Amino acid sequence: MANLNGMMAWTFLQEIEVPESVNDLLINGEEAHIAYKTLRDTAVVTNKRIIISDKQGLTGKKVEVYTIPFKSIIMYSSENGGTFDINTELELWTKAGRFKLNLNKKVDIRKLDKLIAEAIL
């Protein structure tokens, strides 16, 4: 996770199996749809939010968990990578500010785009 001009940003490297540990965070009626490997941990997209776990410190035993509820998203944009781009980007405008998700070329941006659209529209 990095802070770019006041904007929080994370990098999603590739799609992975949804980790069992996320079940402790889910509320009634919430379902995990997809998960991604991030630089230090994982991100899970549910039918209600995006949950990003970020291991802290040298040992990684301390974990900070960020939640971006879909109901807080006002607008979003997706930029698919051009011929020479390594990453694609998804930018979210929320009531709390802007967030950027950098997606490795292994991540299907249209699949993620569709999940977010289904949740907020």
Side-chain angles (χ1 to χ4, degrees):
M1 198 269 314
N3 191 329
L4 307 171
N5 299 326
M7 181 189 323
M8 298 185 84
W10 293 273
T11 300
F12 292 8
L13 300 174
Q14 65 186 37
E15 188 174 331
I16 59 171
E17 291 292 320
V18 175
E20 290 289 324
S21 60
V22 79
N23 291 329
D24 294 337
L25 300 173
L26 302 181
I27 63 170
N28 287 337
E30 186 174 20
E31 300 171 13
H33 288 296
I34 196 167
Y36 298 98
K37 172 82 178 111
T38 62
L39 292 175
R40 299 242 3 212
D41 207 349
T42 58
V44 177
V45 180
T46 76
N47 58 322
K48 298 188 179 286
R49 59 185 162 155
I50 300 171
I51 303 168
I52 302 170
S53 298
D54 188 25
K55 291 182 180 173
Q56 304 287 308
L58 295 174
T59 63
K61 290 184 179 183
K62 179 180 174 186
V63 178
E64 188 164 10
V65 178
Y66 296 88
T67 293
I68 304 171
F70 287 129
K71 66 182 180 182
S72 74
I73 297 174
I74 301 164
M75 180 178 91
Y76 75 100
S77 68
S78 60
E79 176 184 291
N80 44 334
T83 306
F84 301 107
D85 286 344
I86 296 172
N87 291 336
T88 57
E89 296 176 356
L90 195 69
E91 194 166 336
L92 309 170
W93 283 262
T94 72
K95 297 173 186 172
R98 288 176 29 207
F99 299 91
K100 183 183 283 188
L101 306 177
N102 297 303
L103 310 175
N104 185 296
K105 63 183 175 184
K106 296 178 186 176
V107 174
D108 182 351
I109 189 168
R110 292 299 156 227
K111 184 176 184 179
L112 181 56
D113 195 340
K114 187 174 181 180
L115 281 173
I116 292 171
E118 287 174 347
I120 68 172
L121 299 178

